[in-house]
Amino acid sequence: MATMTMVQALNAAMDVMLTRSGDVVVLGEDVGYFGGVFRCTDGLQRKHGRARVFDTPITEAGIMGIAVGMAAYGLRPVAEMQFADYIYPACDQLISEAARLRYRSGGEFTAPVTVRAPYGGGIFGGQTHSQSPEAIFTHVAGLKTVIPSTPYDAKGLLISAIEDDDPVMFFEPKRLYNGPFEGYHDRPVVPWAKHPASEVPDGHYAIPLGKAATVRSGTAVTILAYGTMVHVAMAAARDAQVDAEILDLRTLVPVDIEAIEASVRKTGRCVIVHEATRTGGFGAELSALVQEHCFHHLEAPIERVTGWDTPYPHAFEWEYFPGPARIAEALRRVMEE
């Protein structure tokens, strides 16, 4: 079994699907000849041809409009937004067209579009290259939202997304592209090769959408996280010496409420972590779901650890970023109740 970075795993997933089906195409800015700004599509055009993997003009609205039309015609486009921060011009096509196509056509047409978008901070990208806009799309009926945290999950989830008959937002935590990150920016970078989830099977395999993964078992408190925050939460629980159970949600919509409910009912406490801004973040939806489903089992108020309600500040990157110290403080608060 090969050891891969997340970049290589994503590349392998697209390669598998391009090989398996002539209906799959990859499009976006610099995805063809250059292989993508993060190299996720490197070599795919050379292997599959310029008609299957092709560059587009710098127009996110145009990329999505083309993808929706292709999907209605019967293709399975994989559209890359170079950064999630640039996705906003594409929102009309995503929300008004892709998400609504099945409903408005009475099931006659579907939009099997996968939208790949690198998101999140921790790379000193500043306010225009560090945003986490996932909550915007979880609010839209008709869109699914997926966020992997390991190379193994990245490949299996991307294959499932491409095979899905409805549009899928696939947000990729770019801080994890080349290695796991525990939130300690002043420590040496660790490569994926030293992480067990970097072992990625060859060929086709799919991880079902809507299924969370328990990445750390515990009995004292449940931590709900996704993307980069899964690794940061692991470090926080370890360093705070708290017997925390950590759920990697993997899919935000549809969310695995059964796994969440089972864990919180067991532990009686819940901490929710995400990098996005606090107000209106997906953590608020998770908090409401936990309150609705687990109210009589809660021993303490639900805690949220998030980014600030500000643009991502370049000068205060690590104060904004929900690091292990902030998560550990939240764990101590819920344990004291």
Side-chain angles (χ1 to χ4, degrees):
M1 189 178 298
T3 297
M4 295 185 182
T5 65
M6 187 176 286
V7 168
Q8 293 169 328
L10 293 164
N11 183 285
M14 287 182 277
D15 185 28
V16 166
M17 294 307 296
L18 285 161
T19 302
R20 283 171 66 94
S21 173
D23 292 335
V24 176
V25 295
V26 174
L27 68 154
E29 298 160 10
D30 296 322
V31 301
Y33 178 82
F34 186 63
V37 68
F38 293 105
R39 318 305 291 167
C40 290
T41 56
D42 187 33
L44 295 181
Q45 187 182 81
R46 291 192 297 274
K47 180 175 181 179
H48 298 281
R50 289 185 294 175
R52 304 281 308 286
V53 182
F54 58 92
D55 295 317
T56 66
I58 302 175
T59 166
E60 286 73 22
I63 293 168
M64 278 312 308
I66 292 168
V68 172
M70 285 179 160
Y73 186 73
L75 300 178
R76 291 184 178 272
V78 182
E80 179 184 294
M81 301 286 119
Q82 200 166 81
F83 287 86
D85 313 63
Y86 303 158
I87 203 169
Y88 304 114
C91 282
D92 186 39
Q93 291 293 329
L94 271 168
I95 295 169
S96 301
E97 305 298 337
R100 310 282 194 250
L101 189 57
R102 179 190 288 273
Y103 180 83
R104 72 191 298 182
S105 69
E108 185 175 351
F109 294 97
T110 59
V113 180
T114 301
V115 182
R116 293 182 44 249
Y119 89 106
I123 64 164
F124 285 103
Q127 63 178 348
T128 57
H129 296 82
S130 304
Q131 295 176 56
S132 299
E134 66 274 8
I136 294 172
F137 302 99
T138 64
H139 186 67
V140 178
L143 295 180
K144 297 177 181 178
T145 305
V146 179
I147 302 179
S149 67
T150 67
Y152 177 85
D153 283 357
K155 182 178 179 181
L157 289 169
L158 183 54
I159 287 174
S160 288
I162 297 170
E163 292 179 334
D164 199 284
D165 288 333
D166 291 305
V168 179
M169 306 300 300
F170 197 92
F171 289 102
E172 301 163 6
K174 54 184 177 287
R175 189 61 180 80
L176 301 183
Y177 269 157
N178 293 303
F181 181 59
E182 294 186 341
Y184 293 110
H185 64 280
D186 53 352
R187 296 183 183 180
V189 174
V190 177
W192 273 118
K194 296 184 178 182
H195 194 287
S198 67
E199 295 185 353
V200 179
D202 294 331
H204 180 279
Y205 69 93
I207 296 174
L209 304 186
K211 294 295 181 183
T214 301
V215 296
R216 187 182 196 268
S217 297
T219 60
V221 57
T222 297
I223 303 177
L224 304 180
Y226 52 86
T228 304
M229 291 298 109
V230 172
H231 302 273
V232 180
M234 293 277 282
R238 178 197 66 214
D239 296 348
Q241 298 183 329
V242 174
D243 185 25
E245 181 154 287
I246 301 175
L247 261 61
D248 179 355
L249 297 181
R250 301 197 292 192
T251 304
L252 306 190
V253 176
V255 72
D256 191 351
I257 188 60
E258 291 82 8
I260 294 172
E261 185 175 354
S263 180
V264 176
R265 282 173 176 257
K266 178 176 71 172
T267 66
R269 293 173 170 83
C270 183
V271 173
I272 299 164
V273 187
H274 61 65
E275 193 177 340
T277 50
R278 183 179 181 87
T279 301
F282 193 67
E285 177 67 17
L286 291 171
S287 180
L289 287 170
V290 171
Q291 186 79 354
E292 291 167 7
H293 289 262
C294 307
F295 177 76
H296 294 290
H297 297 267
L298 288 171
E299 302 291 338
I302 301 164
E303 286 273 350
R304 283 184 291 161
V305 184
T306 71
W308 297 339
D309 284 339
T310 70
Y312 213 112
H314 187 276
F316 296 99
E317 177 100 12
W318 303 116
E319 286 79 11
Y320 179 101
F321 188 91
R326 285 174 57 193
I327 298 172
E329 289 173 6
L331 290 172
R332 283 189 279 269
R333 284 195 298 270
V334 297
M335 294 305 297
E336 290 170 359
E337 292 288 339

